[in-house]
């Protein structure tokens, strides 16, 4: 593929549109979106519009746009049949010689609905006809907004959802930087646990990143009073630093 | 800042240029590079040219370009005085009302020389005058090239250097996906360790990503014979998958 020149007929692209700012897409993502015949985007049941389509709006003109509601229920079978149906539509359009791009927020390979779709596409299309265009992920954006280094030298970075606080607590011992997604309703619980480990003051939260006027950066989680942190929030916990220890280690 | 309109006079930008392909920079990175008065880039002692400058070459025209050799030695004091000197130059240019961008491969906050520079800049310039522009990191590129999902649902991603194989072995028990940087000279050792854990076949290596004609993708590390894998290589180990387990977990 030569994606800088745009999408090829009959090819499919899983495109990450980044964290939400129209200028944080890669040039490749923009080239693929602009030149595609068909754009597919997921939309949650609770939203009136696909967030990914909103982010890419400036690059959408005459493309056919297909929005699909994806199931939020944790029902494996329901999820699979939903994505199978979307994959059928995509494979049919490609079979007709059209180029198709599926847009998701962030990076398609990191906690993205694109991960479900990919399995279905791999079962329907030859490997050389579908591609992944990476995108800036939320943890990178959060650290960039807070201007904080994530890793250096021997540091280990752990990225995980904050869905289970004991799991998060366990992770503190195996990394130097911890990036937490899906914090939303567990923020108070998380802050209390971090306090017990003396890590609350150095932890920071970024919510609604790239939404002008709504972006929230909270340096220090030691005085959390609100529970009103939305779904699109990231907490980063700088746990420690592992310097180079031995000579001869790769630089 | 309004970075889509380019760099502001007197401001400094730590810009990630991504994994090496000129179309994998973000629009923001390109806008900042194009509009900057001064570009600073690190170069290793063993290279004749800065890799970051090569990647951004298409966007460089009349900017002043300053290349700095950065020390590869693990000498904390040498490293600090080197970056202090670079930060002095940058702060002076900004003081004169010029805009300056420092370019590094990948993301400036992930295992980047920008991490050293940032500390020095923070000590010299007010916080509102310097910014971080994130970039696509090597692990995202490796997975995109291999078309493999990194994480879904409750999965944990660990990113770390492969500088110490026992550390890598320990990490296998605390994540579902392991992304390893700086594999180079330890590839055989790594492959042997992964074999003992029955993970070598599913692991994959991507070397010289985004270098046309030189890119190498190795699916499965169970028959490693060569030691000739360069520094710019990433190994990803899919260790397992953690599905959603409880209802009520954030979607």
């Amino acid at each position: 593929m030569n994606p800088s020149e745009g999408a090829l007929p009959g090819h499919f692209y899983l495109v990450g549109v980044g964290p939400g700012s129209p200028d944080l897409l890669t040039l490749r993502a923009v080239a693929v979106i602009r030149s595609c015949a068909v754009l597919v985007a997921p939309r949650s049941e609770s939203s009136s519009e696909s967030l990914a389509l909103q982010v890419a709006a400036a690059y959408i003109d005459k493309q056919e746009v297909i929005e699909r509601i994806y199931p939020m229920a944790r029902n494996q079978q329901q999820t699979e049949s939903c994505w199978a149906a979307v994959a059928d539509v995509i494979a049919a359009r490609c079979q007709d010689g059209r180029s198709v791009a599926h847009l998701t927020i962030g990076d398609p390979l990191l906690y993205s609905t694109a991960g479900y779709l990919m399995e279905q596409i791999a079962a329907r299309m030859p490997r050389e006809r579908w591609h992944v265009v990476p995108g800036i992920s939320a943890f990178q954006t959060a650290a960039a907004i807070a201007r904080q280094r994530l890793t250096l030298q021997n540091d280990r970075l752990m990225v995980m959802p904050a869905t289970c606080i004991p799991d998060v607590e366990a992770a503190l011992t195996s990394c130097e930087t911890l990036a937490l997604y899906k914090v939303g309703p567990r923020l108070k619980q998380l802050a209390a646990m971090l306090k017990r480990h003396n890590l609350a003051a150095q932890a920071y939260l970024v919510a609604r990143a790239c939404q002008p006027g709504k972006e929230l950066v909270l340096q220090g989680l030691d005085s959390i009073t609100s529970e009103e942190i939305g779904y699109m929030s990231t907490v980063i916990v700088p746990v420690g630093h592992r310097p180079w220890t031995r000579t001869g280690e790769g630089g």
Side-chain angles (χ1 to χ4, degrees), chain A:
Chain A
M1 95 172 177
N2 193 343
S4 58
E5 292 174 10
L8 295 170
H11 284 239
F12 172 61
Y13 302 82
L14 286 158
V15 176
V17 301
S21 187
D23 70 343
L24 283 176
L25 281 85
T26 64
L27 300 181
R28 185 179 296 182
V30 171
V32 167
I33 292 168
R34 279 203 166 125
S35 59
C36 256
V38 185
L39 298 175
V40 184
R43 171 161 73 84
S44 67
E45 280 170 311
S46 55
S47 309
S48 60
E49 221 185 333
S50 158
L51 191 51
L53 284 178
Q54 282 177 259
V55 172
Y59 318 116
I60 303 175
D61 178 20
K62 291 179 186 159
Q63 302 94 318
E64 177 190 1
V65 173
I66 303 174
E67 272 190 75
R68 291 280 167 177
I69 291 177
Y70 61 88
M72 290 293 283
R74 303 289 172 80
N75 180 322
Q76 188 78 14
Q77 215 181 333
Q78 196 191 340
T79 303
E80 269 177 31
S81 69
C82 161
W83 291 111
V86 177
D88 282 341
V89 171
I90 292 168
R93 292 286 197 286
C94 289
Q95 197 69 42
D96 289 347
R98 305 174 78 181
S99 52
V100 183
H102 181 265
L103 311 187
T104 43
I105 287 292
D107 186 292
L109 302 180
L110 281 169
Y111 306 106
S112 165
T113 53
Y116 299 104
L117 179 58
M118 205 166 79
E119 281 182 16
Q120 302 287 340
I121 290 294
R124 283 166 180 77
M125 292 179 64
R127 197 183 155 84
E128 65 277 11
R129 301 265 284 217
W130 62 276
H131 317 273
V132 178
V133 180
I136 302 292
S137 190
F139 79 90
Q140 299 172 279
T141 315
I145 291 171
R147 276 158 260 199
Q148 296 227 17
R149 183 171 78 199
L150 286 164
T151 55
L152 207 60
Q153 300 182 346
N154 266 327
D155 291 341
R156 296 162 297 179
L157 168 74
M158 179 87 92
V159 186
M160 65 186 286
T163 38
C164 169
I165 299 298
D167 282 355
V168 175
E169 189 165 14
L172 293 175
T173 59
S174 49
C175 66
E176 282 62 52
T177 304
L178 183 57
L180 299 168
Y181 286 177
K182 302 180 194 289
V183 172
R186 278 163 296 269
L187 180 60
K188 261 191 154 172
Q189 245 184 297
L190 173 67
M193 184 276 285
L194 291 175
K195 258 189 206 175
R196 289 199 303 276
H197 290 272
N198 288 319
L199 292 168
Q202 63 214 62
Y204 57 97
L205 176 143
V206 178
R208 298 177 293 277
C210 306
Q211 295 181 33
K214 294 181 182 173
E215 197 170 88
L216 171 74
V217 183
L218 209 58
Q219 178 59 58
L221 300 187
D222 35 6
S223 53
I224 290 294
T225 50
S226 168
E227 307 248 18
E228 297 302 302
I229 299 297
Y231 175 75
M232 298 293 281
S233 55
T234 304
V235 165
I236 297 191
V237 188
V239 180
H241 173 52
R242 286 206 306 175
W244 298 127
T245 48
R246 280 160 283 252
T247 49
E249 281 181 353

